[in-house]
Amino acid sequence: MLTQDRNRILFDGFVLEPLSEQQYPLRFDCGDSDLNDFFRNDVLNHERQLFTKTYCLYEYNAELEKKSPLVGLISYSNDSVRIKDFKDHEEEIPEEKRYPNIPAVKIARLAIQQDFQHLGIGSLLLNLTKLFFVTNNRTGCRLLTLDAYNDDKVVSFYMRSGFNFIHEKDKNKRNRIMFYDLTRTPV
Ligand SMILES: CC(C)(COP(=O)(O)OP(=O)(O)OC[C@H]1O[C@@H](n2cnc3c(N)ncnc32)[C@H](O)[C@@H]1OP(=O)(O)O)[C@@H](O)C(=O)NCCC(=O)NCCS
């Protein structure tokens, strides 16, 4: 069950809280230098410019109100997908509801601390994100989107969570745009 308590989101023994300036210098290493550099050096500027909103994931013991060191980081941005780029999946959107753009939220960055990888926490954070955007939804948001590294392991990680390619035009590019239809997540 997902509980929203002020700005905190509690889920399945974990808590997600907005990143704050007090956490710097940030101790975080996911093993990927581009992502490390973004979270250590660029993210606060992105926040100030209102380009992203970043949340920190911790393991959380609700009885003791005790949280673990930082486990993961996720940044969201508003997004939209042009209906003409969504042709391969347009049967999912009823004809009378077809606007030129489909409202979406982009998972702009996602990383799990190296020591905590391969434990299912990245998948849990994707599930939490789905619930986050369908629970008490303040604006219409139909899709989650992301640019995945075009690497079999990364792509299959997202596919196991129900993400799919938007189109085939980027199949030979460094990144592939993927989406998840939030109507698949019951409120
Ligand atoms: C990708 C990432 C977020 C997955 O988080 P996680 O908590 O390890 O994910 P889960 O435990 O739920 O799933 C792990 C599976 O994801 C796949 N995977 C995805 N990306 C991977 C990566 N960069 N390295 C290794 N495995 C990866 C593997 O199939 C792995 O399965 P395994 O544990 O049996 O080897 C995390 O590995 C990470 O932060 N990697 C570095 C940054 C990165 O590559 N981010 C993705 C940018 S698109």
Side-chain angles (χ1 to χ4, degrees):
M1 202 184 79
L2 176 121
T3 315
Q4 294 196 39
D5 156 14
R6 289 185 295 263
N7 269 333
R8 295 188 320 166
I9 299 144
L10 307 178
F11 179 71
D12 221 5
F14 286 83
V15 64
L16 196 64
E17 294 178 351
L19 178 79
S20 74
E21 300 203 6
Q22 284 73 46
Q23 285 165 270
Y24 280 78
L26 190 72
R27 285 211 198 108
F28 186 77
D29 184 1
C30 70
D32 179 292
S33 54
D34 286 348
L35 281 163
N36 283 343
D37 186 48
F38 174 77
F39 286 118
R40 290 176 194 162
N41 302 315
D42 298 337
V43 74
L44 289 179
N45 201 26
H46 276 64
E47 304 283 294
R48 286 186 209 108
Q49 298 289 326
L50 303 182
F51 285 133
T52 54
K53 180 77 189 167
T54 298
Y55 291 82
C56 304
L57 185 74
Y58 306 90
E59 286 180 290
Y60 185 62
N61 183 322
E63 266 173 42
L64 302 175
E65 295 192 13
K66 206 169 159 21
K67 63 186 189 190
S68 70
L70 183 60
V71 168
L73 287 160
I74 189 160
S75 297
Y76 303 115
S77 295
N78 286 343
D79 195 15
S80 74
V81 174
R82 291 185 304 183
I83 194 86
K84 63 180 182 187
D85 290 332
F86 204 62
K87 275 205 205 83
D88 297 353
H89 312 280
E90 67 184 2
E91 73 287 352
E92 293 175 35
I93 310 273
E95 188 129 20
E96 72 278 13
K97 301 277 188 295
R98 280 189 202 150
Y99 300 108
N101 298 291
I102 307 165
V105 162
K106 174 173 256 180
I107 300 176
R109 304 282 195 300
L110 162 67
I112 301 296
Q113 186 86 265
Q114 233 171 0
D115 300 349
F116 290 88
Q117 290 176 9
H118 306 290
L119 299 172
I121 297 174
S123 308
L124 175 136
L125 190 46
L126 293 177
N127 284 337
L128 198 163
T129 297
K130 293 170 190 170
L131 287 168
F132 187 23
F133 288 104
V134 293
T135 307
N136 300 328
N137 193 356
R138 290 178 179 83
T139 64
C141 170
R142 176 67 189 250
L143 306 176
L144 292 179
T145 58
L146 52 87
D147 296 333
Y149 289 149
N150 195 357
D151 166 289
D152 287 349
K153 275 188 170 177
V154 174
V155 161
S156 63
F157 163 73
Y158 290 118
M159 282 193 154
R160 282 199 298 275
S161 277
F163 284 77
N164 201 349
F165 301 123
I166 288 208
H167 49 60
E168 291 301 307
K169 286 185 240 167
D170 53 6
K171 71 175 178 198
N172 295 319
K173 299 254 169 76
R174 184 168 177 258
N175 292 88
R176 296 212 61 181
I177 309 173
M178 300 185 80
F179 78 97
Y180 175 86
D181 185 344
L182 284 165
T183 58
R184 293 177 57 192
T185 294
V187 183

